């Protein structure tokens, strides 16, 4: 009898969290629909502000809400973003499996990841600020990457952050063997204040639906002597990201790179 009671209790808790997860997933879908409506060039919005307001009582009573969801939508699958180094402990997929994950996806990506880009710092006399435009990245399976974005960080020789980490929005489009971003990254430190041996890292990340997490596919980095106004093309390396730059392995022998453009601002 005790076993039956405990089993029922565990089942009830499991059911509660399952339903809660499903509700949160549906709310996420509605937010995506509203975001898409705001970005649409069509005059008639598909998901209106009035619709979004219907979610307010659900959010206020998320733990006790037991009524029917007001919209007939499917929940967005929960996505797991791995902490630095955590991915090294997981079983990596083969190139063939990874290449087929997003087959048939459209040529343009929805803006699902808003990005965490920061504004340019105030200028200081005699000091240089750097703007890096991430133009595009070349990959043999560019068309099969789902919701790709790039994480930008500045590390010292020990892999310690020297500036806040920034994420780009999801890529704007893909074409042939390229994923296009065309976004500006404002370096959050004056160039002259960076420590000797520092490097700027670019981690290309994408969503893996089979494993339900966002994974680093490859990375690139730019050292201080490469900071020069104008275009630059840098090589891509295999994951996991090696912030200390001790064991680097090129991603491919093919001529595919990360394409950047640098602009220096100095008073």
């Amino acid at each position: 009898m005790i076993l039956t009671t405990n089993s029922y209790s565990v089942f009830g808790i499991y059911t509660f969290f399952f339903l809660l997860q499903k509700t949160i997933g549906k709310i996420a879908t509605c937010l995506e629909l509203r975001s898409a409506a705001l970005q649409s060039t069509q005059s008639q919005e598909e998901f209106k502000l009035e619709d979004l307001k219907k979610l307010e009582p659900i959010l206020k009573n998320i733990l006790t809400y037991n009524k029917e969801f007001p919209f007939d939508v499917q929940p967005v699958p929960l996505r797991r973003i791995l902490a630095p180094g955590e991915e090294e402990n997981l079983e990596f997929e083969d190139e063939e499996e990874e290449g087929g994950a997003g087959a048939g996806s459209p040529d343009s990506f929805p803006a699902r990841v808003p990005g965490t880009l920061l504004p340019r710092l105030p200028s200081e006399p005699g000091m240089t600020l750097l703007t890096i435009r991430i133009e595009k990245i070349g990959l043999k399976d560019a068309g099969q990457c789902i919701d790709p974005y790039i994480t930008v960080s500045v590390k010292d020789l020990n892999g310690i952050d020297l500036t806040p980490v920034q994420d780009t929005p999801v890529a704007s489009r893909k074409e042939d063997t390229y994923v296009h971003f065309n976004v500006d990254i404002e370096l959050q430190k004056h160039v002259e204040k960076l420590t000797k041996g520092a490097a700027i890292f670019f981690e290309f990340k994408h969503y893996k639906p089979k494993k339900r997490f966002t994974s680093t596919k490859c990375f690139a980095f730019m050292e201080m002597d490469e900071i020069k106004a104008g275009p630059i093309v840098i090589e891509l390396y295999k994951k996991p990201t090696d912030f200390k730059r001790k064991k680097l392995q090129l991603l491919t022998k093919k001529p595919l790179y990360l394409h950047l453009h640098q602009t220096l601002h100095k008073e």
Side-chain angles (χ1 to χ4, degrees):
M1 186 65 180
I2 294 176
L3 178 62
T4 304
T5 303
N6 287 343
S7 299
Y8 179 79
S9 177
V10 171
F11 177 77
I13 293 172
Y14 176 81
T15 302
F16 169 77
F17 281 108
F18 173 78
L19 293 174
L20 179 61
Q21 176 180 314
K22 191 173 181 180
T23 300
I24 293 174
K26 289 185 176 183
I27 291 173
T29 300
C30 292
L31 293 175
E32 286 197 0
L33 290 173
R34 178 58 185 163
S35 175
L38 290 173
Q39 298 177 54
S40 176
T41 56
Q42 299 178 1
S43 57
Q44 188 173 4
E45 298 178 357
E46 293 183 4
F47 199 86
K48 302 180 183 299
L49 179 60
E50 292 76 15
D51 296 329
L52 198 62
K53 289 180 178 178
K54 294 178 182 179
L55 300 178
E56 187 175 352
I58 303 177
L59 292 170
K60 286 183 176 180
N61 305 282
I62 190 69
L63 296 178
T64 58
Y65 187 83
N66 58 4
K67 297 180 181 179
E68 186 176 351
F69 199 81
F71 304 103
D72 184 17
V73 294
Q74 293 299 315
V76 172
L78 293 181
R79 299 191 175 190
R80 183 181 174 204
I81 298 178
L82 299 181
E86 185 179 359
E87 186 177 347
E88 299 176 36
N89 300 322
L90 298 177
E91 179 182 355
F92 294 134
E93 296 167 334
D94 294 331
E95 285 290 325
E96 293 77 10
E97 180 184 354
E98 192 171 86
S105 54
D107 287 341
S108 296
F109 299 105
R112 292 184 180 176
V113 178
T116 56
L117 301 184
L118 298 169
R120 188 180 307 169
L121 294 176
S123 59
E124 292 184 16
M127 293 291 180
T128 307
L129 290 170
L130 172 64
T131 301
I132 302 175
R133 171 160 280 253
I134 301 177
E135 296 180 341
K136 60 184 179 180
I137 185 171
L139 297 166
K140 65 179 183 180
D141 56 350
Q144 297 168 348
C145 296
I146 300 175
D147 289 354
Y149 65 97
I150 291 178
T151 295
V152 182
S153 58
V154 184
K155 310 280 187 180
D156 66 9
L157 282 171
N158 295 314
I160 305 301
D161 284 313
L162 299 176
T163 67
V165 177
Q166 303 183 63
D167 290 332
T168 72
V170 165
S172 57
R173 63 189 176 92
K174 59 186 177 181
E175 186 177 33
D176 298 328
T177 55
Y178 289 100
V179 178
H180 293 260
F181 288 90
N182 294 313
V183 294
D184 289 339
I185 306 294
E186 303 292 348
L187 197 70
Q188 296 298 298
K189 205 162 196 174
H190 294 86
V191 175
E192 291 82 0
K193 296 181 180 179
L194 293 172
T195 58
K196 185 178 180 181
I200 305 170
F201 283 83
F202 306 85
E203 297 174 89
F204 181 86
K205 299 180 179 181
H206 65 130
Y207 178 62
K208 292 184 175 180
K210 290 184 179 180
K211 293 197 172 184
R212 285 189 155 186
F213 63 72
T214 296
S215 167
T216 300
K217 182 175 181 64
C218 60
F219 72 98
F221 64 89
M222 189 175 72
E223 297 182 317
M224 294 301 98
D225 60 356
E226 296 177 288
I227 297 181
K228 298 173 184 177
I232 182 174
V233 175
I234 55 179
E235 294 178 314
L236 305 177
Y237 295 94
K238 291 181 179 180
K239 63 181 180 182
T241 309
D242 182 10
F243 292 121
K244 295 183 180 180
R245 291 162 272 165
K246 298 293 185 181
K247 299 178 181 179
L248 299 171
Q249 287 185 288
L250 287 174
L251 179 67
T252 175
K253 294 180 180 179
K254 296 183 178 180
L256 299 173
Y257 307 98
L258 177 63
H259 296 250
L260 309 170
H261 190 281
Q262 301 181 81
T263 303
L264 299 175
H265 312 273
K266 189 171 184 177
E267 283 196 353

